[in-house]
Amino acid sequence: MAIPVQDFIDHLTKDYRVIVIGGLAVIAHGRSRQTMDADIWLEPLSSPAEWADAIEKVCMQFKGVRIHRLPGWIEVSGTDVAGAAEDTGMIRILGLDCPLDIFRRPNEFDEDSFDAVAERASKAGDGTLLPSPLDLIQSKLDTGRSQDQEDISHLESIIRADYKKRLPTASFEEASELLERYSEWQILQSALENPSESVRELALQHLHEFAEAGDPFSKAILEGRETP
């Protein structure tokens, strides 16, 4: 019987912080879809060598698991694992009940981003961390995969619902922080409902920027406000 991938992840979370990314994270955020592998971001530690050593120590607890690297998914061990961490930012574990991709440097992130992403994440029952929808979107940008585009649409709907709930009553400081990370015409309409003039002015500033960039929805909102 194949070793459950969750058992391997559980061993990592005993000593290290682990952020779940990829399809499993999107499913945890409520999207119904299939995934054929598991993707996690293991905290980068102080060096590629220390990171690789942590993974190899866990591998020693499971008979038959193997470490592979790109290009070509070549089986590696020892210093070659650290080399993979430095060159491609990830390795793949085979021999579990599904492939497990472990990242030190996920798509669109660098190693130094881990702490900030972990701070914004929520803790799952198994000890792993679930990234915020915005951070998960960033990990899926510019991949060219249709599945990722569908995931992004789902995650954006979650963000949109959250912002529409918070912006009508947010303080200027909270609204500024929210809109610095994510802004679009639909949520800006919610900010325009805020009784704070400074929040409304901030929303209008964003709408003008979008309108000048050619967004027709932002133009329509501004024109509607200017109509007597």
Side-chain angles (χ1 to χ4, degrees):
M1 180 181 294
I3 302 164
V5 68
Q6 186 63 52
D7 288 358
F8 193 97
I9 294 173
D10 288 345
H11 270 69
L12 283 174
T13 57
K14 288 178 182 178
D15 298 307
Y16 308 104
R17 291 175 294 167
V18 175
I19 299 174
V20 176
I21 55 178
L24 289 179
V26 177
I27 292 168
H29 274 297
R31 184 175 179 217
S32 178
R33 63 108 141 166
Q34 299 294 318
T35 184
M36 301 301 293
D37 56 17
D39 301 294
I40 60 173
W41 185 1
L42 173 64
E43 62 177 302
L45 303 177
S46 64
S47 67
E50 184 181 357
W51 186 86
D53 186 58
I55 293 172
E56 288 202 285
K57 285 180 179 177
V58 174
C59 286
M60 292 174 63
Q61 308 300 313
F62 298 93
K63 184 178 180 180
V65 299
R66 307 174 305 281
I67 304 174
H68 295 252
R69 66 156 296 169
L70 287 170
W73 295 123
I74 301 167
E75 186 173 351
V76 291
S77 61
T79 57
D80 289 334
V81 180
E86 191 163 11
D87 295 342
T88 65
M90 60 89 68
I91 54 91
R92 173 171 287 183
I93 303 293
L94 295 179
L96 304 170
D97 60 358
C98 76
L100 173 63
D101 289 342
I102 306 180
F103 290 82
R104 187 170 189 264
R105 187 176 64 248
N107 180 49
E108 298 298 328
F109 286 102
D110 57 33
E111 294 88 343
D112 292 339
S113 302
F114 184 93
D115 287 341
V117 174
E119 186 174 343
R120 291 188 291 265
S122 57
K123 194 162 188 177
D126 63 356
T128 59
L129 298 168
L130 178 65
S132 71
L134 272 171
D135 286 323
L136 193 50
I137 284 176
Q138 184 171 336
S139 72
K140 290 178 168 292
L141 293 175
D142 301 323
T143 64
R145 297 189 297 250
S146 60
Q147 179 76 277
D148 285 333
Q149 290 305 309
E150 293 168 4
D151 288 344
I152 288 173
S153 295
H154 171 77
L155 295 165
E156 285 180 333
S157 71
I158 296 174
I159 297 165
R160 195 173 294 120
D162 179 52
Y163 274 43
K164 285 182 176 181
K165 182 178 179 180
R166 296 168 65 184
L167 282 171
T169 58
S171 66
F172 177 75
E173 291 74 17
E174 182 184 4
S176 298
E177 184 177 343
L178 289 170
L179 295 177
E180 183 178 357
R181 296 207 69 211
Y182 186 81
S183 182
E184 60 167 27
W185 68 271
Q186 295 181 71
I187 62 173
L188 291 169
Q189 284 183 304
S190 299
L192 291 174
E193 300 171 10
N194 194 298
S196 167
E197 183 178 355
S198 59
V199 172
R200 296 196 303 271
E201 286 298 323
L202 178 63
L204 288 171
Q205 178 184 332
H206 280 253
L207 285 167
H208 279 292
E209 291 174 358
F210 289 147
E212 290 172 6
D215 177 45
F217 302 104
S218 297
K219 289 181 180 179
I221 293 170
L222 292 171
E223 290 171 357
R225 290 180 65 83
E226 294 168 359
T227 301

